[in-house]
Amino acid sequence: MASQRIGEIGLSETGPSTHHIPYSVYHGINNPSTFINQEGSAFDFGELEEAIVLQGANLRNDEAKARRPAATLDMFPSWPIRLQHTPRGSSKSGGESTDSGSGVNTNTLSSSIAEAQREAESPVSAKASSSLDHRKLQKPMDMTASDTSPLPSPSQSASKAPQDKRKGGSTSEKQLDAKTLRRLAQNREAARKSRLRKKAYVQQLESSRIKLTQLEQDLHRARSQGFFMGACGGSNISSGAAIFDMEYARWLEDDHRHMLELRTGLQAHLTDDDLRVIVDGYISHYDEIFRLKGVAAKSDVFHLITGVWTTPAERCFLWMGGFRPSELIKILITQLDPLTEQQFMGICSLQHSSQQAEEALSQGLEQLQQSLVDTVAGGPGIEGMQQMAVALGKLTNLEGFVRQADNLRQQTLHHLRRILTVRQAARCFLVIGEYYGRLRALSSLWASRPRENMMNDDSSRQTSADLQIVQATQNHFSNF
Amino acid sequence: MHYQTESWGSYLPVARPVGDPVERIERMAAESAVVIFSVSTCCMCHAVKSLFCGMGVNPTVHELDHDPRGKELEKALARLSGAPPSAAVPVVFIGGKLVGAMDRVMASHINGTLVPLLKEAGALWL
């Protein structure tokens, strides 16, 4: 009742359209049932639409006031469906065919109202019959109103047929229709809004994706250039060397990962099959660095052979651009107990043959060096550009030696894998990896040690501690 | 037009004209237990020679730059060992059979097959 009065007041004072909004909101507050399941934003707009539409319809028809039914929660005064739909008839006939379910994305109020109108009409006709039964009893007053509705039927086109159906269905659904209208309009609005939001989100995602790929490309480019600049500190560095340095850095990261895998694999006491996979993976990891070095040797053999790509401590013990295989075997032979007699013999002969091979390659390199010295020193009969050409020709042999040395290293690792069991091989590679890791750590410790003239009491204590560690490790390494 | 089957190893016993480089190579390879085809100025050849001498083997070395038809022998050797013509030497034969270039020799030494091969050919006695 109170709501009716409010509605009346609203209607009686209705004049300029500006009043519509507060009344509709007020109506909305007083009619929670239809709005409980609505979203906040849709709520306002749908409600607004509905109010404007219905209020607008009300303005044109004072009869509606008279026929307002009693005690229901219906906030909007019901009026004959005929009258309800009359003002929309014009827009409806045009719009009937384009059901608003097509997802029209327009944001203007008028078009959405039109949409709501069209929307409201079509489902209402579907719902009319279903809601007929349970609404009839509730709204006896509507029946009386509905009786009068068929009378003034304006001469409309066949598009009024749905209206007639609804009329025939009954004006007992007047209230229902309004409610349904409202609800459906709001549903429609909510759906439209969520479609809009989804579209905006997807567009955002797409643009972010493009940005991401661009960033990745920039990063990759910058990284390669960064190494180009950073690796040499200003001096000239060939692109082949820069590329190798970058790939070596990545290989070191992979190495760290492999080491973790080996360590956890051994500690977890995996089956031999599982451990074999890890061990073979480590072998492939080493095969990879030898392949990379082969490529780099073609473009810049000096970079490899002088060990610029390694840390200082590693460089100190460098042999022909890498580790010395017999040295490695020496490290392992003490850490690989227990070995069977056969395994021990196998490892000893491996050490022996690798030593012989190293010696042979070293002698070959020595002869190359001597020959180069002779060429560069020059002498009668060979001078100037010819001298340089000969020297260049001799230098090309360097690549062959580095390749053979890497081949030796690779063969040694593979043969080691053949001699040892899976667990032994896993331990062996762990030892190798840890050894080189410590060698690299040694280099950084050495580089960061405080110099004599900067020492004070505190730092001297720290330095001596550091130096003790270094000393201990140095003694360990001095065996080689 | 004669051929020998016993020491050819991997080669097909096809009749070839005398003087054909491959035939010459095969003949030279069959003459000793260990035969190295080399070039006197090649440092890698020096390395392979050092290797065998270091093991106590006494190889027969053919310096192709001292051979009047060395060039064609080099080409034939490159084809046999699968190496590019610029790195045709060194090539090693043991017991008349082709072992290969430096990398194959190294690999066989590391995996322990070189010494038995040498012993079988009678180049090593220990």
Side-chain angles (χ1 to χ4, degrees), chain A residues 353 356-357 360-361 363-364 367-368 400 404 407-408 411 415 418, chain B residues 42-44 46-47 50-51 54-55 102-103 106-107 109-111:
Chain A
S353 49
Q356 283 175 331
L361 283 176
Q363 287 193 6
Q367 202 208 36
L368 176 63
Q404 291 302 332
N407 179 43
L408 189 64
Q411 293 298 324
H415 192 60
R418 278 193 288 268
Chain B
C42 167
C43 305
M44 198 56 81
H46 182 78
S50 309
L51 179 65
M55 289 196 285
M102 187 56 155
D103 53 349
M106 293 283 218
H109 192 36
I110 289 296
N111 64 28

Side-chain angles (χ1 to χ4, degrees), chain B:
Chain B
M1 297 241 259
H2 56 84
Y3 55 87
Q4 296 163 290
T5 49
E6 49 274 24
S7 56
W8 259 228
S10 51
Y11 306 135
L12 291 170
V14 175
R16 282 202 191 85
V18 181
D20 170 60
V22 176
E23 205 264 350
R24 273 196 68 204
I25 289 169
E26 290 168 358
R27 210 164 15 89
M28 291 196 283
E31 284 165 3
S32 316
V34 180
V35 176
I36 303 175
F37 290 95
S38 155
V39 167
S40 56
T41 55
C42 167
C43 305
M44 198 56 81
C45 302
H46 182 78
V48 86
K49 287 175 222 167
S50 309
L51 179 65
F52 282 107
C53 297
M55 289 196 285
V57 173
N58 190 19
T60 303
V61 179
H62 294 283
E63 303 286 3
L64 294 180
D65 50 339
H66 297 155
D67 190 300
R69 293 159 66 195
K71 278 288 164 197
E72 58 182 34
L73 288 178
E74 265 190 64
K75 279 195 211 124
L77 277 169
R79 264 203 313 274
L80 279 174
S81 65
S86 54
V89 288
V91 176
V92 176
F93 286 81
I94 298 179
K97 288 189 208 143
L98 174 69
V99 175
M102 187 56 155
D103 53 349
R104 295 271 270 278
V105 172
M106 293 283 218
S108 76
H109 192 36
I110 289 296
N111 64 28
T113 57
L114 189 65
V115 169
L117 208 58
L118 288 167
K119 285 186 181 166
E120 197 188 308
L124 267 183
W125 288 279
L126 292 164

Side-chain angles (χ1 to χ4, degrees), chain A residues 231-394:
Chain A
C232 55
S235 64
N236 285 335
I237 184 167
S238 73
S239 61
I243 289 168
F244 175 74
D245 284 350
M246 190 172 64
E247 285 170 331
Y248 178 62
R250 210 180 297 147
W251 185 86
L252 281 177
E253 287 170 12
D254 280 349
D255 193 64
H256 187 70
R257 197 175 32 86
H258 279 275
M259 295 293 298
L260 279 174
E261 238 185 338
L262 273 171
R263 201 173 291 124
T264 53
L266 279 170
Q267 282 169 358
H269 298 288
L270 291 178
T271 63
D272 274 4
D273 288 331
D274 293 336
L275 210 51
R276 186 173 297 121
V277 172
I278 298 175
V279 166
D280 289 344
Y282 199 64
I283 295 258
S284 312
H285 171 68
Y286 261 95
D287 286 346
E288 179 61 19
I289 190 65
F290 292 132
R291 187 189 67 81
L292 289 171
K293 284 174 82 181
V295 171
K298 284 191 173 68
S299 61
D300 193 348
V301 69
F302 280 127
H303 184 75
L304 287 180
I305 208 166
T306 54
V308 180
W309 54 282
T310 59
T311 59
E314 288 174 291
R315 209 176 301 147
C316 181
F317 305 120
L318 205 71
W319 173 78
M320 222 170 274
F323 66 82
R324 197 183 266 273
S326 57
E327 191 176 288
L328 208 63
I329 310 284
K330 249 185 264 186
I331 297 168
L332 293 171
I333 211 160
T334 54
Q335 305 222 17
L336 276 182
D337 313 316
L339 291 170
T340 68
E341 187 68 30
Q342 193 183 20
Q343 282 178 327
F344 186 72
M345 298 291 285
I347 298 229
C348 283
S349 79
L350 177 63
Q351 191 185 355
H352 187 60
S353 49
S354 65
Q355 259 170 342
Q356 283 175 331
E358 285 161 29
E359 189 56 36
L361 283 176
S362 300
Q363 287 193 6
L365 190 62
E366 216 176 278
Q367 202 208 36
L368 176 63
Q369 199 179 353
Q370 192 58 53
S371 162
L372 199 61
V373 161
D374 290 342
T375 304
V376 173
I382 176 162
E383 284 171 2
M385 284 316 297
Q386 193 194 5
Q387 185 181 23
M388 284 298 151
V390 172
L392 274 174
K394 289 185 177 172

